[in-house]
Amino acid sequence: MHTKYGGPEVLHLEEVERPIPKANEVLVKVHATTVNRTDCGFRDPRPFFVRVFSGLVRPKNKILGTELAGEVEAVGAAVTEFAVGDRVFGVNADKFGAHAEFVCVAEDAALATMPTGMTFEDAAAVGDGVVLALACLRKADLQRGQRILIYGASGSIGTAAVQLAKCSFGADVTAVCDTKNVEIVRSLGADRVVDYTRDDFTGDGEIYDVVFDAVGKSSFRRCKRALKPGGALIETDLGFGWQNPILALLTSRFGKKKVLFPIPKYTKQDIVLRKELVEAGKYRAVVDRRYPLEQVVGATAYVETEQKTGNVVLTISRDLPRAHSKEV
């Protein structure tokens, strides 16, 4: 839980009453969740206008956490899709609250039964990154056989994008990451892997239909020479001076190369799609580190080093008194 904005140290544990599900909600006993950049952005909102969504003076969502995997503990009177005991996973995108023992999720939200044979920790790690990657690849209208370069291919969004671009879209994938992640990124299906500490993809003469900046660390000015005429740069971050939404608007009307700035939607259909991909062996979770909930400050600090590979998972204690829940 956090009651004020600031660094990871503002997070703390607190005992609170267990939430009660509304008629259209399920109460999920959370076994695993993640710390992602959305959590960090709402805990310490930058740029300032993020506070329009997170709370101008103090946080509206005191309990962070969007991705979750756990068991249905109770169901509302109108719920028909889920039953007590179901193993579920998904994303509680707008409401947060997954950094807790219990969280209420609407039945029609981005929630589904877990893939067969998957652990709670792995299920929690196939949420937000996949949704964001899917939104971006769909916005680019990526076609089978087209060439895509994924910059920042070892993060949560990047590892998802590599797998989806290859297995679901049938693209030719070049992935960019640092030295320590070359082999794991190659194992995800990339056709080629560029180590950015040794080579600059913008200067090697290769050109692509799509360049996907999965970490928000590049720019249109830098990447456009690696794009074919009619090609697109996908951005997942506002960029310097909030330039990327502006560039997306301008390049949609002028020029032969575009900037795309997709806004993701979290739907049950996409959660079900993830389940099908996992069960078909076409997608796997990438987990860097696992922390107990009590070490959320350390987990968050690690995420903010921007050196994680894939996802950072929080495991939730299961042996606390049932009258209350411990939350962050």
Side-chain angles (χ1 to χ4, degrees):
M1 175 177 288
H2 70 306
T3 56
K4 61 182 180 180
Y5 293 126
E9 67 280 356
V10 302
L11 298 169
H12 63 277
L13 301 180
E14 186 171 321
E15 299 281 348
V16 300
E17 294 295 331
R18 183 193 302 189
I20 299 173
K22 298 176 182 177
N24 67 329
E25 292 180 335
V26 298
L27 177 67
V28 179
K29 182 175 176 62
V30 181
H31 292 325
T33 180
T34 66
V35 179
N36 57 39
R37 75 185 196 184
T38 301
D39 299 319
C40 297
F42 272 69
R43 190 210 69 246
D44 189 14
R46 300 177 187 176
F48 188 86
F49 84 83
V50 174
R51 295 190 184 212
V52 172
F53 308 100
S54 65
L56 289 176
V57 178
R58 58 183 61 87
K60 292 188 293 186
N61 299 298
K62 296 178 182 178
I63 304 165
L64 296 170
T66 58
E67 300 170 282
L68 62 99
E71 296 176 272
V72 175
E73 182 81 2
V75 298
V79 171
T80 59
E81 182 178 346
F82 301 103
V84 173
D86 283 351
R87 293 158 59 95
V88 295
F89 78 125
V91 184
N92 204 27
D94 298 326
K95 298 181 181 296
F96 291 87
H99 289 179
E101 279 195 288
F102 296 97
V103 63
C104 289
V105 183
E107 179 184 30
D108 61 357
L111 187 74
T113 55
M114 279 173 45
T116 303
M118 198 173 207
T119 67
F120 290 115
E121 289 82 3
D122 283 350
V126 294
D128 196 51
V130 183
V131 171
L132 291 165
L134 268 174
C136 291
L137 296 174
R138 287 168 175 165
K139 183 72 173 180
D141 193 25
L142 185 66
Q143 300 295 310
R144 181 170 297 277
Q146 286 189 321
R147 302 190 72 200
I148 182 173
L149 179 137
I150 300 168
Y151 184 78
S154 59
S156 176
I157 301 172
T159 54
V162 169
Q163 296 180 77
L164 293 169
K166 190 64 187 177
C167 294
S168 297
F169 290 82
D172 180 274
V173 179
T174 297
V176 181
C177 62
D178 61 3
T179 307
K180 73 181 179 70
N181 289 311
V182 166
E183 290 308 315
I184 190 169
V185 169
R186 183 175 286 118
S187 76
L188 298 176
D191 296 286
R192 287 165 298 283
V193 182
V194 176
D195 180 349
Y196 71 76
T197 68
R198 300 178 180 178
D199 300 295
D200 180 3
F201 75 89
T202 66
D204 63 7
E206 298 288 336
I207 55 174
Y208 304 89
D209 299 283
V210 177
V211 173
F212 184 175
D213 179 8
V215 288
K217 293 294 182 67
S218 197
S219 67
F220 185 50
R221 180 178 181 181
R222 181 182 177 219
C223 293
K224 62 183 179 181
R225 60 179 172 175
L227 286 171
K228 296 179 180 179
L233 168 66
I234 308 171
E235 285 290 2
T236 60
D237 189 83
L238 291 169
F240 179 76
W242 312 349
Q243 64 177 314
N244 290 329
I246 298 171
L247 285 170
L249 181 63
L250 292 176
T251 59
S252 67
R253 292 169 169 77
F254 308 102
K256 296 181 179 180
K257 301 177 182 181
K258 311 297 182 184
V259 174
L260 304 177
F261 190 72
I263 305 298
K265 293 182 179 179
Y266 295 84
T267 67
K268 186 178 294 290
Q269 289 78 10
D270 283 344
I271 296 293
V272 172
L273 173 61
R274 275 175 275 174
K275 176 181 178 177
E276 293 170 349
L277 290 171
V278 170
E279 291 180 337
K282 295 181 178 180
Y283 190 90
R284 65 183 174 92
V286 178
V287 177
D288 185 339
R289 297 184 182 183
R290 294 172 171 85
Y291 293 81
L293 179 65
E294 291 76 8
Q295 294 180 20
V296 67
V297 172
T300 302
Y302 178 60
V303 169
E304 292 192 342
T305 66
E306 299 183 346
Q307 297 301 310
K308 70 180 177 69
T309 302
N311 301 271
V312 170
V313 169
L314 287 180
T315 56
I316 310 298
S317 298
R318 306 178 190 179
D319 55 354
L320 297 171
R322 298 176 68 85
H324 296 81
S325 61
K326 183 175 284 188
E327 310 190 22
V328 175

